[in-house]
Amino acid sequence: GVITVNMRMILVDWLTQVQHHLKLSQESLYLTVSILDTILNRRDVDADKLQLLGICSMLLGTKLEEYYPAEVGKLLHLTENSYTRDEVVNMERVLIQILEFKVKCHLSILSLGL
């Protein structure tokens, strides 16, 4: 499943709407997109898992940036319950492995654009 630039753009537009809906910070959105792009650069992602990748990237981003991270239940509801809580937990674990556990330092470097 090749993820096209257009598919990514649609996902980022949707994540921006989610960010507004959940009243998350701009930093959370930047971090979400940074995580998303890092994963897309390192792994082939199936098109049917792209939105799951998006909400997991947002979940991780908000855990780093927000006082109250996004709630898994709310994120799943916004995907019209296309995925399960287990799928989110498993995908989050994969993301952390791909990011090599250096989430905070790795992403703060990315967000500085270095």
mmCIF file of all heavy atoms in Angstrom, residues 76-105:
data_model
loop_
_atom_site.group_PDB
_atom_site.id
_atom_site.type_symbol
_atom_site.label_atom_id
_atom_site.label_comp_id
_atom_site.label_asym_id
_atom_site.label_seq_id
_atom_site.Cartn_x
_atom_site.Cartn_y
_atom_site.Cartn_z
ATOM 1 N N LEU A 76 -10.814 7.417 18.792
ATOM 2 C CA LEU A 76 -11.482 6.324 18.082
ATOM 3 C C LEU A 76 -12.860 6.758 17.584
ATOM 4 O O LEU A 76 -13.243 6.439 16.456
ATOM 5 C CB LEU A 76 -11.619 5.097 18.991
ATOM 6 C CG LEU A 76 -10.331 4.303 19.222
ATOM 7 C CD1 LEU A 76 -10.545 3.240 20.292
ATOM 8 C CD2 LEU A 76 -9.840 3.672 17.933
ATOM 9 N N HIS A 77 -13.573 7.504 18.412
ATOM 10 C CA HIS A 77 -14.902 7.997 18.022
ATOM 11 C C HIS A 77 -14.795 8.873 16.767
ATOM 12 O O HIS A 77 -15.632 8.782 15.871
ATOM 13 C CB HIS A 77 -15.526 8.781 19.184
ATOM 14 C CG HIS A 77 -16.858 9.366 18.848
ATOM 15 N ND1 HIS A 77 -17.986 8.584 18.715
ATOM 16 C CD2 HIS A 77 -17.234 10.640 18.587
ATOM 17 C CE1 HIS A 77 -19.013 9.371 18.382
ATOM 18 N NE2 HIS A 77 -18.585 10.616 18.308
ATOM 19 N N LEU A 78 -13.743 9.694 16.705
ATOM 20 C CA LEU A 78 -13.560 10.592 15.560
ATOM 21 C C LEU A 78 -13.201 9.838 14.282
ATOM 22 O O LEU A 78 -13.355 10.370 13.185
ATOM 23 C CB LEU A 78 -12.516 11.663 15.882
ATOM 24 C CG LEU A 78 -12.951 12.665 16.964
ATOM 25 C CD1 LEU A 78 -11.775 13.515 17.419
ATOM 26 C CD2 LEU A 78 -14.089 13.550 16.460
ATOM 27 N N THR A 79 -12.723 8.594 14.409
ATOM 28 C CA THR A 79 -12.487 7.758 13.217
ATOM 29 C C THR A 79 -13.754 6.964 12.886
ATOM 30 O O THR A 79 -13.704 6.062 12.056
ATOM 31 C CB THR A 79 -11.339 6.741 13.420
ATOM 32 O OG1 THR A 79 -11.759 5.742 14.360
ATOM 33 C CG2 THR A 79 -10.057 7.400 13.868
ATOM 34 N N GLU A 80 -14.867 7.305 13.546
ATOM 35 C CA GLU A 80 -16.124 6.551 13.423
ATOM 36 C C GLU A 80 -15.904 5.087 13.821
ATOM 37 O O GLU A 80 -16.442 4.166 13.224
ATOM 38 C CB GLU A 80 -16.705 6.696 12.002
ATOM 39 C CG GLU A 80 -17.060 8.151 11.707
ATOM 40 C CD GLU A 80 -17.475 8.408 10.265
ATOM 41 O OE1 GLU A 80 -17.353 7.495 9.419
ATOM 42 O OE2 GLU A 80 -17.924 9.530 10.009
ATOM 43 N N ASN A 81 -15.075 4.939 14.868
ATOM 44 C CA ASN A 81 -14.754 3.616 15.434
ATOM 45 C C ASN A 81 -14.283 2.612 14.374
ATOM 46 O O ASN A 81 -14.663 1.451 14.392
ATOM 47 C CB ASN A 81 -15.941 3.073 16.246
ATOM 48 C CG ASN A 81 -16.212 3.945 17.457
ATOM 49 O OD1 ASN A 81 -15.324 4.211 18.253
ATOM 50 N ND2 ASN A 81 -17.442 4.422 17.579
ATOM 51 N N SER A 82 -13.424 3.110 13.489
ATOM 52 C CA SER A 82 -12.847 2.258 12.434
ATOM 53 C C SER A 82 -11.819 1.275 13.007
ATOM 54 O O SER A 82 -11.484 0.287 12.353
ATOM 55 C CB SER A 82 -12.159 3.120 11.380
ATOM 56 O OG SER A 82 -13.075 4.027 10.819
ATOM 57 N N TYR A 83 -11.315 1.571 14.196
ATOM 58 C CA TYR A 83 -10.263 0.740 14.805
ATOM 59 C C TYR A 83 -10.653 0.415 16.237
ATOM 60 O O TYR A 83 -11.546 1.032 16.802
ATOM 61 C CB TYR A 83 -8.919 1.486 14.798
ATOM 62 C CG TYR A 83 -8.545 2.004 13.437
ATOM 63 C CD1 TYR A 83 -8.732 3.344 13.114
ATOM 64 C CD2 TYR A 83 -8.029 1.168 12.460
ATOM 65 C CE1 TYR A 83 -8.403 3.839 11.855
ATOM 66 C CE2 TYR A 83 -7.695 1.642 11.200
ATOM 67 C CZ TYR A 83 -7.891 2.973 10.895
ATOM 68 O OH TYR A 83 -7.571 3.451 9.658
ATOM 69 N N THR A 84 -9.930 -0.542 16.830
ATOM 70 C CA THR A 84 -10.186 -0.920 18.222
ATOM 71 C C THR A 84 -9.111 -0.322 19.126
ATOM 72 O O THR A 84 -8.044 0.093 18.653
ATOM 73 C CB THR A 84 -10.140 -2.456 18.397
ATOM 74 O OG1 THR A 84 -8.803 -2.899 18.124
ATOM 75 C CG2 THR A 84 -11.113 -3.159 17.459
ATOM 76 N N ARG A 85 -9.417 -0.304 20.408
ATOM 77 C CA ARG A 85 -8.450 0.161 21.410
ATOM 78 C C ARG A 85 -7.162 -0.674 21.339
ATOM 79 O O ARG A 85 -6.061 -0.135 21.466
ATOM 80 C CB ARG A 85 -9.101 0.062 22.793
ATOM 81 C CG ARG A 85 -8.363 0.749 23.908
ATOM 82 C CD ARG A 85 -9.220 0.783 25.157
ATOM 83 N NE ARG A 85 -10.283 1.786 25.066
ATOM 84 C CZ ARG A 85 -10.135 3.049 25.439
ATOM 85 N NH1 ARG A 85 -8.984 3.469 25.909
ATOM 86 N NH2 ARG A 85 -11.134 3.901 25.339
ATOM 87 N N ASP A 86 -7.316 -1.991 21.136
ATOM 88 C CA ASP A 86 -6.140 -2.872 21.020
ATOM 89 C C ASP A 86 -5.260 -2.468 19.846
ATOM 90 O O ASP A 86 -4.033 -2.491 19.950
ATOM 91 C CB ASP A 86 -6.567 -4.337 20.845
ATOM 92 C CG ASP A 86 -6.954 -4.989 22.171
ATOM 93 O OD1 ASP A 86 -6.697 -4.374 23.230
ATOM 94 O OD2 ASP A 86 -7.496 -6.102 22.131
ATOM 95 N N GLU A 87 -5.891 -2.133 18.723
ATOM 96 C CA GLU A 87 -5.119 -1.709 17.549
ATOM 97 C C GLU A 87 -4.329 -0.433 17.848
ATOM 98 O O GLU A 87 -3.183 -0.297 17.411
ATOM 99 C CB GLU A 87 -6.036 -1.485 16.347
ATOM 100 C CG GLU A 87 -6.550 -2.762 15.712
ATOM 101 C CD GLU A 87 -7.472 -2.510 14.536
ATOM 102 O OE1 GLU A 87 -8.564 -1.929 14.744
ATOM 103 O OE2 GLU A 87 -7.115 -2.885 13.411
ATOM 104 N N VAL A 88 -4.938 0.476 18.602
ATOM 105 C CA VAL A 88 -4.256 1.720 18.978
ATOM 106 C C VAL A 88 -3.047 1.405 19.863
ATOM 107 O O VAL A 88 -1.940 1.896 19.618
ATOM 108 C CB VAL A 88 -5.211 2.705 19.701
ATOM 109 C CG1 VAL A 88 -4.443 3.878 20.288
ATOM 110 C CG2 VAL A 88 -6.285 3.197 18.741
ATOM 111 N N VAL A 89 -3.252 0.578 20.874
ATOM 112 C CA VAL A 89 -2.172 0.221 21.802
ATOM 113 C C VAL A 89 -1.022 -0.454 21.054
ATOM 114 O O VAL A 89 0.151 -0.118 21.261
ATOM 115 C CB VAL A 89 -2.702 -0.689 22.944
ATOM 116 C CG1 VAL A 89 -1.565 -1.244 23.772
ATOM 117 C CG2 VAL A 89 -3.678 0.092 23.824
ATOM 118 N N ASN A 90 -1.359 -1.386 20.156
ATOM 119 C CA ASN A 90 -0.324 -2.090 19.393
ATOM 120 C C ASN A 90 0.416 -1.158 18.454
ATOM 121 O O ASN A 90 1.643 -1.212 18.355
ATOM 122 C CB ASN A 90 -0.934 -3.259 18.602
ATOM 123 C CG ASN A 90 -1.402 -4.382 19.518
ATOM 124 O OD1 ASN A 90 -0.880 -4.548 20.619
ATOM 125 N ND2 ASN A 90 -2.382 -5.136 19.071
ATOM 126 N N MET A 91 -0.319 -0.289 17.760
ATOM 127 C CA MET A 91 0.308 0.663 16.834
ATOM 128 C C MET A 91 1.199 1.628 17.607
ATOM 129 O O MET A 91 2.299 1.950 17.170
ATOM 130 C CB MET A 91 -0.753 1.425 16.041
ATOM 131 C CG MET A 91 -0.210 2.531 15.157
ATOM 132 S SD MET A 91 0.667 1.979 13.654
ATOM 133 C CE MET A 91 -0.688 1.722 12.520
ATOM 134 N N GLU A 92 0.748 2.069 18.772
ATOM 135 C CA GLU A 92 1.553 2.987 19.584
ATOM 136 C C GLU A 92 2.886 2.323 19.968
ATOM 137 O O GLU A 92 3.941 2.957 19.906
ATOM 138 C CB GLU A 92 0.785 3.409 20.833
ATOM 139 C CG GLU A 92 1.490 4.494 21.605
ATOM 140 C CD GLU A 92 0.763 4.922 22.862
ATOM 141 O OE1 GLU A 92 -0.043 4.127 23.396
ATOM 142 O OE2 GLU A 92 1.004 6.042 23.313
ATOM 143 N N ARG A 93 2.829 1.049 20.310
ATOM 144 C CA ARG A 93 4.040 0.305 20.658
ATOM 145 C C ARG A 93 4.994 0.249 19.459
ATOM 146 O O ARG A 93 6.201 0.454 19.595
ATOM 147 C CB ARG A 93 3.667 -1.105 21.117
ATOM 148 C CG ARG A 93 4.816 -1.875 21.729
ATOM 149 C CD ARG A 93 4.396 -3.256 22.211
ATOM 150 N NE ARG A 93 3.284 -3.196 23.161
ATOM 151 C CZ ARG A 93 2.160 -3.910 23.057
ATOM 152 N NH1 ARG A 93 1.971 -4.731 22.049
ATOM 153 N NH2 ARG A 93 1.220 -3.796 23.971
ATOM 154 N N VAL A 94 4.437 -0.007 18.284
ATOM 155 C CA VAL A 94 5.242 -0.050 17.055
ATOM 156 C C VAL A 94 5.893 1.312 16.796
ATOM 157 O O VAL A 94 7.082 1.392 16.472
ATOM 158 C CB VAL A 94 4.374 -0.492 15.847
ATOM 159 C CG1 VAL A 94 5.116 -0.295 14.533
ATOM 160 C CG2 VAL A 94 3.944 -1.949 16.003
ATOM 161 N N LEU A 95 5.113 2.387 16.960
ATOM 162 C CA LEU A 95 5.655 3.737 16.735
ATOM 163 C C LEU A 95 6.844 3.996 17.645
ATOM 164 O O LEU A 95 7.878 4.506 17.192
ATOM 165 C CB LEU A 95 4.604 4.817 17.011
ATOM 166 C CG LEU A 95 3.388 4.914 16.112
ATOM 167 C CD1 LEU A 95 2.674 6.247 16.311
ATOM 168 C CD2 LEU A 95 3.733 4.732 14.661
ATOM 169 N N ILE A 96 6.697 3.638 18.917
ATOM 170 C CA ILE A 96 7.769 3.884 19.882
ATOM 171 C C ILE A 96 9.011 3.081 19.498
ATOM 172 O O ILE A 96 10.133 3.591 19.580
ATOM 173 C CB ILE A 96 7.291 3.578 21.319
ATOM 174 C CG1 ILE A 96 6.251 4.628 21.738
ATOM 175 C CG2 ILE A 96 8.464 3.581 22.295
ATOM 176 C CD1 ILE A 96 5.515 4.302 23.020
ATOM 177 N N GLN A 97 8.807 1.861 19.018
ATOM 178 C CA GLN A 97 9.950 1.048 18.570
ATOM 179 C C GLN A 97 10.615 1.670 17.342
ATOM 180 O O GLN A 97 11.842 1.757 17.271
ATOM 181 C CB GLN A 97 9.500 -0.378 18.253
ATOM 182 C CG GLN A 97 9.194 -1.190 19.496
ATOM 183 C CD GLN A 97 8.515 -2.515 19.173
ATOM 184 O OE1 GLN A 97 8.039 -2.740 18.068
ATOM 185 N NE2 GLN A 97 8.463 -3.392 20.163
ATOM 186 N N ILE A 98 9.811 2.117 16.382
ATOM 187 C CA ILE A 98 10.367 2.724 15.165
ATOM 188 C C ILE A 98 11.135 4.004 15.510
ATOM 189 O O ILE A 98 12.190 4.288 14.942
ATOM 190 C CB ILE A 98 9.260 3.006 14.125
ATOM 191 C CG1 ILE A 98 8.653 1.696 13.628
ATOM 192 C CG2 ILE A 98 9.818 3.805 12.941
ATOM 193 C CD1 ILE A 98 7.403 1.866 12.778
ATOM 194 N N LEU A 99 10.597 4.755 16.464
ATOM 195 C CA LEU A 99 11.261 5.997 16.898
ATOM 196 C C LEU A 99 12.425 5.687 17.843
ATOM 197 O O LEU A 99 13.078 6.593 18.343
ATOM 198 C CB LEU A 99 10.259 6.928 17.584
ATOM 199 C CG LEU A 99 9.112 7.418 16.690
ATOM 200 C CD1 LEU A 99 8.045 8.107 17.540
ATOM 201 C CD2 LEU A 99 9.601 8.344 15.595
ATOM 202 N N GLU A 100 12.641 4.400 18.098
ATOM 203 C CA GLU A 100 13.760 3.910 18.910
ATOM 204 C C GLU A 100 13.747 4.463 20.334
ATOM 205 O O GLU A 100 14.794 4.741 20.918
ATOM 206 C CB GLU A 100 15.090 4.220 18.215
ATOM 207 C CG GLU A 100 15.223 3.495 16.895
ATOM 208 C CD GLU A 100 16.270 4.102 15.977
ATOM 209 O OE1 GLU A 100 16.707 5.238 16.228
ATOM 210 O OE2 GLU A 100 16.625 3.430 15.001
ATOM 211 N N PHE A 101 12.544 4.630 20.870
ATOM 212 C CA PHE A 101 12.347 5.049 22.264
ATOM 213 C C PHE A 101 12.885 6.447 22.566
ATOM 214 O O PHE A 101 12.732 6.944 23.661
ATOM 215 C CB PHE A 101 12.972 4.040 23.245
ATOM 216 C CG PHE A 101 12.364 2.677 23.117
ATOM 217 C CD1 PHE A 101 12.955 1.717 22.310
ATOM 218 C CD2 PHE A 101 11.186 2.356 23.774
ATOM 219 C CE1 PHE A 101 12.390 0.454 22.172
ATOM 220 C CE2 PHE A 101 10.621 1.100 23.632
ATOM 221 C CZ PHE A 101 11.221 0.151 22.841
ATOM 222 N N LYS A 102 13.535 7.080 21.577
ATOM 223 C CA LYS A 102 14.109 8.404 21.832
ATOM 224 C C LYS A 102 13.089 9.455 21.435
ATOM 225 O O LYS A 102 13.409 10.404 20.728
ATOM 226 C CB LYS A 102 15.396 8.595 21.031
ATOM 227 C CG LYS A 102 16.466 7.586 21.371
ATOM 228 C CD LYS A 102 17.679 7.786 20.485
ATOM 229 C CE LYS A 102 18.495 6.517 20.399
ATOM 230 N NZ LYS A 102 19.000 6.251 19.073
ATOM 231 N N VAL A 103 11.855 9.245 21.849
ATOM 232 C CA VAL A 103 10.773 10.081 21.343
ATOM 233 C C VAL A 103 11.021 11.551 21.654
ATOM 234 O O VAL A 103 11.039 12.381 20.759
ATOM 235 C CB VAL A 103 9.411 9.624 21.911
ATOM 236 C CG1 VAL A 103 8.309 10.522 21.440
ATOM 237 C CG2 VAL A 103 9.137 8.184 21.481
ATOM 238 N N LYS A 104 11.265 11.885 22.910
ATOM 239 C CA LYS A 104 11.351 13.298 23.291
ATOM 240 C C LYS A 104 12.537 13.988 22.622
ATOM 241 O O LYS A 104 12.377 15.010 21.973
ATOM 242 C CB LYS A 104 11.429 13.429 24.817
ATOM 243 C CG LYS A 104 11.290 14.856 25.316
ATOM 244 C CD LYS A 104 9.903 15.422 25.007
ATOM 245 C CE LYS A 104 9.788 16.855 25.516
ATOM 246 N NZ LYS A 104 8.480 17.436 25.259
ATOM 247 N N CYS A 105 13.736 13.419 22.760
ATOM 248 C CA CYS A 105 14.900 14.114 22.207
ATOM 249 C C CYS A 105 14.858 14.075 20.683
ATOM 250 O O CYS A 105 15.117 15.070 20.028
ATOM 251 C CB CYS A 105 16.199 13.523 22.753
ATOM 252 S SG CYS A 105 16.914 12.236 21.767
#
